[in-house]
Amino acid sequence: MNDDAMERMLAQAAENPNAAECDAAIARAEAALLKDLRPARRLASPMTLALLFLAVFAAVAFLFAARLGLGGIHALSAAQRANIFPLLLAAAGFAALGLTREMRPASGRHLGAAALAVCLAGFPLLFLANFRSLGMAHFVREGWPCLKAGVMVAIPAGLIAALILRRGFVLSWKMAGLAAGTFAGLTGLAMLELHCPNLNVLHIVVWHVAVVATSAAMGLATGWAADAIRRRAASKRLHS
Amino acid sequence: MPVLTTPSRAPMEGLERLMCGYQQGDDEAARELIRRVSPLLLRYFLVQAAGRRFAEDLVQETWMRIHKARPTYRTGEPVLPWIYAIARYTGLDYYRRTRRVEVREEQVEVLPERAAPATSGAAAAPDLEEMLAGLPASQKEVIVMLKVSGMSIEEVASATGSSAGSVKQKAHRAYEVLRAKLARGVMKA
């Protein structure tokens, strides 16, 4: 059999399925959807949503840093500031784009994992290029509070991101959780760059970047749990 | 390459207009959209493994999700990738859940009867489910979207969240398997 004949076979086979099954499915859908049909308010454009996420990023990072003290930005040189903050904003923009994609079905490939990979590979290189090693003294004692503070900032940023995500229609909360966790982790990282005056490259590469990884893992786990709960509810509906 | 040829789009034209009407609460537009899209969704779920038992329920569940998701549809964008993306996750949710349940179930002695094939005039037509049986689920869904719904490669990529290259590869592999099956005479030509 040649390709044309197979195309014809597929086209023939693709005709409507059993008419009775079709009619039943149509009748059920009409009964459920048309009884109280009202106009739906359209979701904002992806650009508006991305700007909203960026506003959350900037506001949360700055407010928490201002509360804890802006020692970090004062300790950085002009060149370090010029290298770090635009790249932090660009990474947050990429993560925000990933979040807007999670809000609409069929809006493109998931970007959460890519955003995380870019952060985990890019920021250590950026910090290695901008800071120098000052040894391993008090490595854990000085690092642990930074990780804790970064994660404590990431949690509200992630919660606000989740609230915005709920305005859309998320198909995979696992992927949305990863994107939100990465975005929130970047918020925590930005706060640390504004607040932490420790310029030891090992401290920054390990403890500051760990905020992004920890937050992304938390987001992924939360999304996975949300998916499991939703799947259970859908399954109950189907089997009832 | 035969895989790239798609059926006529004519029956699916105007779906965007209907979807906008549905979004704005227009009863007639919603009714027409349901009438035109439901057979596609039913076919989509029927060709998936273990879909027949619950295909109609899955169509219903997909419509409920479409209803909830309708604010996210953007005017001017193709409707079918948006609908299939929702249908796809509805199916995934269902299969993940039932696979776990079925593993724990005892094997039945008598297999459930398959529903009768399409009625009038279709006696000699090949059965799509039979044709696609044995293909991996990802290849089946690509063939259904391309051949049943007449979507383009790019639209299928958008619905499945993959690249156009990956869609082409899946369709090509599916065709290879189908060709081999036909050559062995597994299907009634």
Side-chain angles (χ1 to χ4, degrees):
Chain A
M1 175 176 278
N2 62 24
D3 287 341
D4 287 343
M6 198 162 75
E7 284 275 310
R8 276 199 303 279
M9 259 184 92
L10 271 171
Q12 208 181 355
E15 292 297 313
N16 279 354
N18 190 311
E21 281 177 330
C22 265
D23 290 345
I26 290 168
R28 278 181 70 185
E30 283 182 351
L33 269 52
L34 301 180
K35 63 182 174 202
D36 190 23
L37 188 60
R38 288 186 193 147
R41 196 174 152 205
R42 282 186 191 151
L43 188 68
S45 72
M47 178 62 85
T48 310
L49 291 168
L51 288 174
L52 181 62
F53 282 119
L54 278 178
V56 170
F57 163 80
V60 172
F62 185 78
L63 285 175
F64 275 88
R67 187 166 171 74
L68 295 171
L70 291 166
I73 193 142
H74 292 130
L76 293 174
S77 68
Q80 285 168 334
R81 282 181 212 157
N83 287 338
I84 291 167
F85 289 106
L87 283 172
L88 261 172
L89 194 64
F94 187 50
L97 178 68
L99 282 169
T100 63
R101 284 195 176 186
E102 297 298 336
M103 296 175 77
R104 280 176 210 278
S107 56
R109 304 180 78 169
H110 301 288
L111 292 180
L116 178 64
V118 165
C119 291
L120 295 186
F123 281 110
L125 290 176
L126 175 72
F127 294 140
L128 283 169
N130 279 279
F131 300 101
R132 59 196 178 86
S133 176
L134 301 171
M136 295 283 283
H138 312 301
F139 182 68
V140 175
R141 206 174 68 194
E142 288 176 355
W144 183 246
C146 273
L147 176 62
K148 259 198 316 191
V151 170
M152 293 314 280
V153 170
I155 289 171
L159 288 175
I160 297 170
L163 284 176
I164 301 171
L165 279 170
R166 278 174 59 86
R167 299 283 306 158
F169 189 80
V170 175
L171 288 173
S172 167
W173 274 104
K174 192 172 74 177
M175 299 311 291
L178 180 64
T182 304
F183 170 80
L186 279 165
T187 312
L189 176 62
M191 186 282 293
L192 287 175
E193 295 317 310
L194 290 167
H195 161 67
C196 176
N198 190 334
L199 301 185
N200 185 351
V201 70
L202 292 172
H203 169 85
I204 297 170
V205 166
V206 174
W207 296 104
H208 290 196
V209 176
V211 172
V212 182
T214 309
S215 173
M218 285 164 65
L220 184 67
T222 310
W224 180 84
D227 266 344
I229 292 165
R230 191 196 55 176
R231 203 172 297 137
R232 198 162 295 138
S235 175
K236 271 184 191 158
R237 271 203 306 277
L238 273 170
H239 290 94
S240 63
Chain B
M1 194 171 165
V3 165
L4 299 178
T5 63
T6 53
S8 161
R9 296 297 304 257
M12 291 304 136
E13 275 172 12
L15 283 184
E16 283 79 11
R17 185 178 48 77
L18 294 174
M19 185 64 213
C20 286
Y22 175 37
Q23 233 179 5
Q24 286 154 19
D26 178 349
D27 257 25
E28 277 314 304
R31 201 179 300 277
E32 181 65 12
L33 187 74
I34 292 169
R35 201 180 61 74
R36 284 164 71 173
V37 173
S38 293
L40 301 177
L41 292 176
L42 190 59
R43 178 110 274 182
Y44 173 76
F45 288 120
L46 282 174
V47 298
Q48 304 288 334
R52 184 169 284 279
R53 246 186 338 166
F54 291 109
E56 207 185 297
D57 290 338
L58 286 168
V59 173
Q60 176 77 357
E61 176 67 20
T62 303
W63 275 114
M64 300 308 286
R65 292 188 188 192
I66 288 171
H67 191 67
K68 211 174 154 197
R70 73 200 156 112
T72 69
Y73 173 71
R74 295 190 76 204
T75 310
E77 286 190 355
V79 177
L80 285 177
W82 183 84
I83 286 178
Y84 270 109
I86 295 170
R88 192 166 174 268
Y89 272 91
T90 307
L92 282 175
D93 282 351
Y94 164 76
Y95 299 129
R96 279 183 196 142
R97 181 88 187 130
T98 50
R99 204 167 45 207
R100 261 179 253 143
V101 172
E102 281 176 1
V103 167
R104 281 184 251 133
E105 281 177 355
E106 286 179 29
Q107 199 177 352
V108 290
E109 285 180 21
V110 182
L111 289 170
E113 281 180 30
R114 286 175 64 121
T119 49
S120 60
D127 184 41
L128 188 68
E129 291 132 75
E130 188 192 338
M131 276 186 89
L132 304 185
L135 289 181
S138 61
Q139 290 178 15
K140 275 183 194 171
E141 73 176 6
V142 162
I143 292 292
V144 171
M145 288 182 202
L146 287 171
K147 299 298 165 191
V148 178
S149 304
M151 287 160 67
S152 67
I153 295 275
E154 287 71 24
E155 285 173 341
V156 177
S158 166
T160 54
S162 53
S163 65
S166 160
V167 172
K168 278 185 199 171
Q169 194 181 46
K170 281 175 189 159
H172 183 71
R173 283 183 184 159
Y175 258 54
E176 300 266 289
V177 175
L178 288 175
R179 207 174 282 125
K181 270 174 100 175
L182 286 167
R184 288 199 310 269
V186 175
M187 289 180 292
K188 290 173 282 182

